[in-house]
Amino acid sequence: MTDSPLTVGASLFRAAGLWPDRTALIIAGRQASYRGLLDEASLCARGLAGLGVKPGDRIGTLMHNCWESVILFYGASLIGAGLLPFNARYRGDELSFTVGFSDVVGLFTTAHGREHVELPELLQDTYPILREWKAGEPLKIAEAPSLRFVANLADPEEERWVTEKHLAEAAQRVSAETVEAMAAAVKPGDNCITMFSSGTTARPKACMLSHENVSRVGSALAERFEMTADDRFWDPLPFYHMSTLMPLAACRTVGATFIGVEHFEAGAALAEIERTRATILYPAFPTLMASMVAHPDFPHRNLSTARLMLNIGAPDLLRRFCEAMPGAKQASCYGLTEGGGVSVWSDKDDTLDERIFTSGKPITGTKVRVVDPDTLEDKPFGENGEIWLWGYCVFSGYYKDPEMTAAVITPDGWLRTNDIGHLLPSGHLVYKGRLKDMLKIGGENVAAVEIESFLMKHPAIKMAQVVSVPDERLVEAAAAFIECMPGKSITPEEVVKFCAGQMASFKIPRHVQFVNDWPMSTTKIQKFKLLENYVPSSPLDVSGIARALKRGA
């Protein structure tokens, strides 16, 4: 097996050889050494191959954070199959579309987190045939013609679908030597991860990321954070985001420990950070960090092992986090899925102001430009323009969408991010927002047109326009301005009910206002004027309305 770090499988073999007994992974009290992690991943890879998954195929995971999702990522990577981690917050129409569009051959879910959302039940609601289908029978779903099997792992009540028992039996048909040979055949440019990301279109786009992309961005993170085998990297973010894959890769690079979180709760998080003696904290989004700092246990927990914490937010808020944890250096960053997750990070030598007012500098092997989006000429230092990225961080393209790929990647390899910012003479990047019609709700990118398109399916809605408004919990939330059809009406609560179960809850408008006339330019609705006329109100209880709807109330 090659010791090249440019494929996920090779980097895992390398880590198991260099640090066999070092703790590689901790999730919910369960842990494995690098040698043990490789053994589990290899067994999973044998099982996948035994089920007929081939190099170049894609498998999907619809899971809350759990041990099995990490093992499936490594198992798929070892045999050259790509992984597509579906957002566990997808519902109904968006889940049906993404599963069908992605051409996954197998879809894995689990009983983990069923106290929050019953994912197997969600799949059965989306594809009723799964209520009768049994493992071994042909699976024919018109909306997902490539899907050959569905698996439910870690569920003692499951017997019908593919289970851990089926996976173990399939593994007996494939040798460990076969998997090692398959891993050696994987090339750095092969697809590793396909991840859906909302953009300015009505449907999310499937971003393809190579092994080299994932591995090198992770290595750059380890370099920028000066990580060693003694580091313990605590990361509460979703496993279906690059915010987990990058730290996992960084830990593999240096033999550090990755600490994942099944379900975030501030008090439990503080206890785990203290118990595991975490050295790097990666809450990223201010809602998570703020809830820990405000928790009554915070003053009583010994968090002194933390040397670095990454948070994104307003400078005054970041400064408060620094005051709350003076022993941990605040780091900021900038990135997007198409740019490999994160391609700009703070440096240890940055001043406090540079770490809270800027996103940092580009990682080794990448470049950043700020360009006038109309003339495509570089903007001077300090002047805002569109942020462009270049280097191995740039993704491979959008799956089954060469036209959209060509629209965002220039012929000489620069990625047009659709984000606004400016560069300082020091090389630091200052992010200012989105160039196009996007919202960032609780850390999730959401296209306004995606919500608008769905709302206008309602027979009472003639026109819908969605804008971002401030929200105490989510930082931003969706506000919908609605014009009703003549003679028809709809209440804000009915708008929420229409969306519930059909889109992720964070996308559902928490504010609804009705209009009869739209502020117009010559040809377009002027959304900034909608905001000028926006009357702040208490947010709708989206979760409560959805629960009542499920109960039939």
Side-chain angles (χ1 to χ4, degrees):
M1 183 71 197
T2 177
D3 62 357
S4 167
L6 295 185
T7 69
V8 170
S11 65
L12 183 57
F13 271 97
R14 173 181 174 273
L18 291 175
W19 307 284
D21 299 321
R22 284 273 184 179
T23 301
L25 183 64
I26 299 175
I27 300 175
R30 184 175 177 179
Q31 65 182 53
S33 66
Y34 274 100
R35 182 71 248 178
L37 182 60
L38 175 59
D39 289 343
E40 283 200 51
S42 297
L43 185 62
C44 176
R46 291 166 58 194
L48 292 174
L51 289 173
V53 179
K54 298 178 176 60
D57 283 344
R58 283 181 178 81
I59 63 165
T61 54
L62 181 67
M63 296 178 167
H64 299 290
N65 287 6
C66 62
W67 187 272
E68 289 77 13
S69 73
V70 177
I71 301 302
L72 282 164
F73 164 64
Y74 282 124
S77 297
L78 284 171
I79 63 170
L83 182 76
L84 201 156
F86 293 102
N87 192 318
R89 300 164 85 175
Y90 280 169
R91 298 292 179 269
D93 178 68
E94 59 195 347
L95 180 59
S96 178
F97 166 75
T98 51
V99 171
F101 181 83
S102 62
D103 298 321
V104 291
V105 301
L107 180 57
F108 290 80
T109 190
T110 176
H112 286 295
R114 68 183 348 153
E115 65 272 22
H116 307 292
V117 178
E118 179 68 73
L119 294 176
E121 185 66 24
L122 175 63
L123 279 175
Q124 291 176 120
D125 289 344
T126 305
Y127 303 116
I129 192 175
L130 293 178
R131 298 190 185 280
E132 306 297 331
W133 179 79
K134 294 180 181 179
E137 297 177 351
L139 180 58
K140 295 182 180 179
I141 300 178
E143 305 93 326
S146 297
L147 189 61
R148 300 200 298 265
F149 67 88
V150 175
N152 185 356
L153 306 181
D155 188 348
E157 300 177 8
E158 178 57 62
E159 295 180 353
R160 294 182 301 107
W161 297 355
V162 173
T163 65
E164 289 175 314
K165 178 182 176 182
H166 292 101
L167 199 60
E169 290 172 349
Q172 300 307 307
R173 300 192 288 269
V174 179
S175 69
E177 292 75 19
T178 297
V179 164
E180 188 166 345
M182 295 175 78
V186 178
K187 297 179 176 60
D190 290 346
N191 177 248
C192 177
I193 287 285
T194 303
M195 193 165 288
F196 279 98
S197 174
S198 288
T200 52
T201 59
R203 290 292 195 182
K205 306 184 297 294
C207 304
M208 298 184 292
L209 299 159
S210 70
H211 282 259
E212 179 177 8
N213 181 288
V214 172
S215 297
R216 292 187 68 181
V217 170
S219 296
L221 168 58
E223 177 186 15
R224 183 60 55 91
F225 285 2
E226 296 189 341
M227 291 174 59
T228 72
D230 293 325
D231 273 310
R232 293 169 297 282
F233 199 118
W234 180 82
D235 184 350
L237 302 180
F239 288 7
Y240 48 79
H241 279 184
M242 290 301 293
S243 51
T244 293
L245 295 176
M246 291 181 303
L248 271 174
C251 289
R252 283 196 309 276
T253 300
V254 298
T257 301
F258 178 85
I259 306 164
V261 177
E262 279 196 341
H263 179 72
F264 176 82
E265 189 279 317
L270 292 168
E272 182 171 55
I273 293 168
E274 180 182 57
R275 182 176 62 256
T276 60
R277 299 178 58 80
T279 60
I280 300 175
L281 312 183
Y282 206 78
F285 301 113
T287 47
L288 302 186
M289 190 67 192
S291 66
M292 290 195 293
V293 171
H295 196 276
D297 288 351
F298 182 78
H300 311 295
R301 291 295 182 186
N302 180 2
L303 310 180
S304 60
T305 57
R307 65 177 182 85
L308 187 148
M309 58 180 176
L310 184 134
N311 292 290
I312 304 165
D316 287 345
L317 181 61
L318 297 182
R319 200 181 294 277
R320 290 205 299 273
F321 293 160
C322 293
E323 292 169 354
M325 293 192 64
K329 267 195 172 181
Q330 157 67 30
S332 297
C333 68
Y334 164 79
L336 67 166
T337 306
E338 290 88 336
V342 173
S343 45
V344 175
W345 268 296
S346 296
D347 186 87
K348 70 176 182 66
D349 295 326
D350 287 344
T351 65
L352 176 59
D353 280 355
E354 287 171 336
R355 287 184 278 115
I356 66 175
F357 284 100
T358 83
S359 299
K361 296 179 180 180
I363 54 180
T364 303
T366 68
K367 298 177 183 178
V368 175
R369 295 169 63 192
V370 173
V371 175
D372 185 304
D374 296 319
T375 67
L376 304 186
E377 294 180 355
D378 288 325
K379 301 286 284 186
F381 291 128
E383 288 193 17
N384 288 328
E386 184 183 11
I387 300 169
W388 286 21
L389 300 173
W390 179 91
Y392 58 78
C393 63
V394 176
F395 77 139
S396 305
Y398 296 118
Y399 183 54
K400 295 196 297 192
D401 200 339
E403 292 183 1
M404 183 63 72
T405 300
V408 299
I409 300 180
T410 68
D412 52 350
W414 286 88
L415 171 67
R416 302 191 62 168
T417 68
N418 278 316
D419 287 331
I420 300 171
H422 62 261
L423 284 169
L424 301 178
S426 60
H428 290 83
L429 175 69
V430 179
Y431 169 77
K432 301 299 288 185
R434 297 292 287 166
L435 182 64
K436 296 198 175 176
D437 201 5
M438 292 289 296
L439 296 77
K440 200 172 188 73
I441 303 174
E444 302 267 11
N445 286 324
V446 180
V449 68
E450 181 183 350
I451 305 174
E452 293 162 354
S453 298
F454 182 80
L455 290 175
M456 286 189 285
K457 293 180 180 179
H458 193 286
I461 296 177
K462 177 181 178 182
M463 173 62 71
Q465 293 287 284
V466 172
V467 297
S468 167
V469 297
D471 185 89
E472 287 187 5
R473 188 172 67 85
L474 299 171
V475 183
E476 294 181 28
F481 288 77
I482 290 174
E483 178 185 2
C484 291
M485 290 287 188
K488 295 189 176 182
S489 64
I490 185 173
T491 67
E493 290 74 17
E494 287 170 337
V495 171
V496 173
K497 289 180 180 179
F498 179 65
C499 297
Q502 297 302 313
M503 64 171 63
S505 61
F506 65 87
K507 298 179 184 178
I508 298 175
R510 280 166 165 71
H511 305 268
V512 176
Q513 297 194 9
F514 297 96
V515 300
N516 295 316
D517 298 298
W518 297 97
M520 300 291 294
S521 64
T522 305
T523 58
K524 294 182 180 180
I525 293 173
Q526 295 177 305
K527 287 192 172 182
F528 70 92
K529 289 192 175 180
L530 289 176
L531 281 172
E532 290 175 359
N533 299 322
Y534 168 71
V535 179
S537 60
S538 298
L540 293 161
D541 182 9
V542 169
S543 298
I545 294 171
R547 285 195 299 270
L549 183 65
K550 196 167 185 178
R551 292 195 304 266

